[in-house]
Amino acid sequence: MAKFFKEESRTFNDYLIVPGYSGSDCIPERVNLTTPLTRFKKGKKSDIELKLPMISAIMQSVSDDKMAIALAKEGGLSFIYGSQSIEDEAAMVARVKAYKAGFVISDSNIKPDQTLGELVEIIEKTGHSTVAVTDDGSSHGKLVGLITSRDYRLSKVKMDELVSKYMTPINKLIVADASKDLSECNDIIWDHKLNCLPVVDEEGNLVYMVFRKDYDSHKDNPNELLDAHKRYLVGAGINTRDYKERVPALVKAGVDVLCIDSSEGFSEFQKDTITWIKKTYKNKIKVGAGNVVDKDGFNFLADAGADFIKIGIGGGSICITRETKGIGRGQATAVIEVAQARDEYFKKKGEYVPICSDGGIVFDHHVTLALGMGADFVMLGRYFARFEESPTNKVLVNGSYYKEYWGEGSNRARNWQRYDLGGKKGLKFEEGVDSYVPYAGTLHDNVAVTIAKVKSTMCNCGCLNLKDFRKNVRFTTVSSTSIVEGGAHDVIVKNSNINKDL
């Protein structure tokens, strides 16, 4: 006879945290959110630790190189989406590793013989007021000048006039050579009262741009996630089909950690993939796996050698796996059981395998609930898709701005590898939808608010780190009427963002 779980399958909305004693020294400024990303042995530390317990989902509409840089600045990590060509994914990884804090690769470039009309199109597309003029119009072409919004007046010029007529030529520009570090470049900017400083190599090719406006922003990111060479850390998604070709390219590009992107991880496909990676790279390349929703799935992947394990099937806002296939589990119940399995595994085998809650997070406080229930960190899709740094278009719908957001199992993504069960290639039916999410601004501003809430709740429980929080936090289940009581009720609410979903 079929096995039936006695306990209900619960979501994060079914729980509340009961506060505990909080001493006078327990304030948000003292809370440390550092958490392990990859497995480690008892008495040791993880080779990779996150300073922010948040990673971005392995999705076309969420995680590219721009998102990876923005999140690493905050102390989190992005996994570049794998549903693209091997060459394109490796190139994204390489761009993150080549990025130097404060040194920006110019993405607004034009040739001197192009017109002002073409210049205006570039400015409207990128939103940048400073455009590099290079001989071939590329970001690393020979620098011949700069043109800014101060160099021309749209009402006084003709759109067919050439950029070369209005640009500031190279012989009138102050530039820095590529041997200068960021401190030296900032000194040049301040000494010469510049807004922008081009950095060129020995042949005069543009390498980077350094902007005055970025000077203070770098001091605002004390939690940057950096490797031993002061480069941002970046992850990448892989599948169980072409990993023997994809992984070497990603490793060559400098990837720090991999993750198998699959809707269901309790499979021989994942075990074979992990085994090949560990054997080929002599256990030096870290790889996460998943997704699972119970103890058996966790133990299987932990024994296979996974460095971290993702939890969640069907809980994502754009995921319709439960609807189409009837499989999955409430995210809270899944996290609680797998967290217990992780702790048992650690006691039995002396190895700690971090777990990631992936999906089911609708409100900021759900992040806190997931961490308290045992997750070492959370993976978020819709949350990050709303931000300026996500790779999708910003569109105007009925007077409000939105960002496009689609599932990896949708026809738009056509990421059949994520739902692979062997056999012929192809997406036979959809397990994700194509949608919009409200545009929310920059990642930095929004993450700051979310983390402030997490830290505040931890202080309400008397905890200053995640390990103590998981150990001491107390939960209570809630009724449907209790949920209503928890929000604003029996009043007429003025314009407010209270309880606005992520």
Side-chain angles (χ1 to χ4, degrees):
M1 183 176 174
K3 177 181 178 179
F4 290 87
F5 289 86
K6 295 181 180 180
E7 182 184 336
E8 284 185 313
S9 184
R10 295 184 179 275
T11 70
F12 292 130
N13 263 349
D14 289 318
Y15 292 91
L16 282 177
I17 291 173
V18 177
Y21 172 75
S22 179
S24 60
D25 62 335
C26 197
I27 57 176
E29 289 74 16
R30 297 192 62 208
V31 174
N32 183 351
L33 295 177
T34 299
T35 191
L37 176 72
T38 57
R39 79 155 68 199
F40 58 94
K41 293 183 178 180
K42 187 175 183 179
K44 303 290 185 180
K45 286 181 60 176
S46 172
D47 288 342
I48 303 177
E49 291 187 327
L50 301 173
K51 298 178 182 177
L52 179 79
M54 301 166 74
I55 61 176
S56 65
I58 311 170
M59 301 175 69
Q60 294 174 2
S61 55
V62 178
S63 298
D64 64 353
D65 48 310
K66 186 177 180 182
M67 175 63 71
I69 291 169
L71 187 50
K73 286 181 178 179
E74 304 299 323
L77 186 78
S78 283
F79 283 86
I80 304 295
Y81 66 91
S83 53
Q84 58 179 320
S85 72
I86 294 173
E87 295 75 19
D88 287 345
E89 185 179 14
M92 284 189 181
V93 170
R95 286 197 291 272
V96 177
K97 300 308 292 186
Y99 183 88
K100 296 165 69 177
F103 292 87
V104 180
I105 295 176
S106 177
D107 59 1
S108 295
N109 310 285
I110 197 168
K111 294 188 291 187
D113 58 357
Q114 288 184 264
T115 66
L116 291 180
E118 291 173 299
L119 172 69
V120 170
E121 289 181 6
I122 291 173
I123 291 174
E124 288 178 347
K125 180 180 179 181
T126 65
H128 301 152
S129 60
T130 299
V131 178
V133 185
T134 59
D135 61 346
D136 60 0
S138 73
S139 57
H140 294 303
K142 189 176 181 65
L143 184 67
V144 296
L146 285 181
I147 186 165
T148 74
S149 57
R150 299 190 305 274
D151 295 323
Y152 58 90
R153 293 172 62 188
L154 286 176
S155 60
K156 300 291 184 179
V157 299
K158 297 178 180 179
M159 290 294 98
D160 59 355
E161 292 186 274
L162 299 181
V163 168
S164 57
K165 180 180 177 180
Y166 293 92
M167 71 180 189
T168 302
I170 185 67
N171 60 352
K172 293 185 179 180
L173 289 175
I174 294 173
V175 300
D177 65 77
S179 66
K180 302 289 186 185
D181 61 25
L182 182 59
S183 178
E184 292 173 310
C185 288
N186 280 324
D187 287 342
I188 294 173
I189 286 175
W190 287 96
D191 290 344
H192 295 276
K193 300 179 180 179
L194 306 174
N195 288 319
C196 168
L197 177 69
V199 179
V200 298
D201 63 18
E202 294 179 354
E203 286 75 39
N205 297 312
L206 180 63
V207 183
Y208 300 111
M209 303 277 273
V210 180
F211 295 92
R212 175 191 287 261
K213 65 181 177 62
D214 290 337
Y215 177 77
D216 290 331
S217 68
H218 302 306
K219 295 183 178 296
D220 293 335
N221 299 308
N223 291 323
E224 289 181 316
L225 198 63
L226 304 172
D227 64 17
H229 302 287
K230 304 299 182 183
R231 301 173 302 179
Y232 287 128
L233 266 61
V234 60
I238 59 173
N239 61 70
T240 57
R241 282 273 186 168
D242 65 7
Y243 59 89
K244 292 182 181 179
E245 294 78 37
R246 188 174 294 269
V247 171
L250 295 172
V251 171
K252 184 178 180 181
V255 74
D256 296 288
V257 59
L258 303 169
C259 184
I260 302 172
D261 182 29
S262 174
S263 65
E264 208 285 298
F266 197 173
S267 75
E268 187 176 358
F269 299 115
Q270 293 221 3
K271 180 180 179 181
D272 290 345
T273 303
I274 296 168
T275 300
W276 183 87
I277 293 172
K278 295 296 182 180
K279 182 178 179 180
T280 302
Y281 294 96
K282 303 186 188 309
N283 215 34
K284 293 181 180 179
I285 298 299
K286 307 298 182 182
V287 55
N291 287 18
V292 299
V293 293
D294 64 1
K295 175 181 180 178
D296 292 340
F298 170 85
N299 286 332
F300 173 80
L301 290 176
D303 286 340
D307 288 295
F308 67 86
I309 295 172
K310 292 200 295 141
I311 309 161
I313 295 177
S317 60
I318 40 69
C319 184
I320 54 173
T321 295
R322 297 180 191 174
E323 204 174 303
T324 58
K325 295 172 64 176
I327 66 168
R329 200 176 194 188
Q331 190 66 8
T333 299
V335 170
I336 292 167
E337 179 173 324
V338 174
Q340 291 172 344
R342 175 206 55 205
D343 293 345
E344 291 171 2
Y345 192 90
F346 181 57
K347 290 179 181 178
K348 181 179 179 181
K349 300 196 175 183
E351 287 192 288
Y352 187 92
V353 183
I355 58 174
C356 168
S357 177
D358 175 19
I361 291 176
V362 181
F363 302 103
D364 279 335
H365 75 272
H366 287 173
V367 175
T368 317
L369 290 170
L371 296 173
M373 289 175 181
D376 294 279
F377 49 95
V378 297
M379 175 174 273
L380 303 161
R382 183 171 62 113
Y383 178 87
F384 289 114
R386 304 170 304 139
F387 300 154
E388 180 69 34
E389 294 84 357
S390 73
T392 63
N393 295 319
K394 184 169 68 173
V395 296
L396 189 63
V397 180
N398 296 327
S400 298
Y401 280 105
Y402 292 81
K403 295 276 281 187
E404 295 177 303
Y405 180 47
W406 59 91
E408 288 297 296
S410 68
N411 266 319
R412 182 168 184 174
R414 300 205 65 79
N415 184 10
W416 62 268
Q417 297 98 328
R418 188 175 198 275
Y419 302 87
D420 189 22
L421 292 174
K424 295 181 179 179
K425 299 178 181 180
L427 190 66
K428 295 179 176 63
F429 56 88
E430 292 185 273
E431 293 189 45
V433 300
D434 197 342
S435 65
Y436 296 108
V437 288
Y439 173 69
T442 66
L443 181 148
H444 175 77
D445 291 342
N446 283 275
V447 165
V449 173
T450 300
I451 293 305
K453 293 177 182 178
V454 173
K455 290 183 175 181
S456 179
T457 302
M458 289 174 63
C459 286
N460 291 145
C461 299
C463 301
L464 292 174
N465 60 68
L466 290 175
K467 184 178 180 180
D468 287 345
F469 185 51
R470 288 193 296 267
K471 180 180 178 181
N472 298 315
V473 66
R474 299 180 298 164
F475 290 97
T476 181
T477 54
V478 295
S479 66
S480 58
T481 52
S482 177
I483 294 173
V484 173
E485 180 187 62
H489 60 91
D490 300 315
V491 293
I492 299 174
V493 181
K494 298 179 181 179
N495 291 335
S496 172
N497 287 323
I498 295 175
N499 283 341
K500 184 178 181 181
D501 62 344
L502 298 177

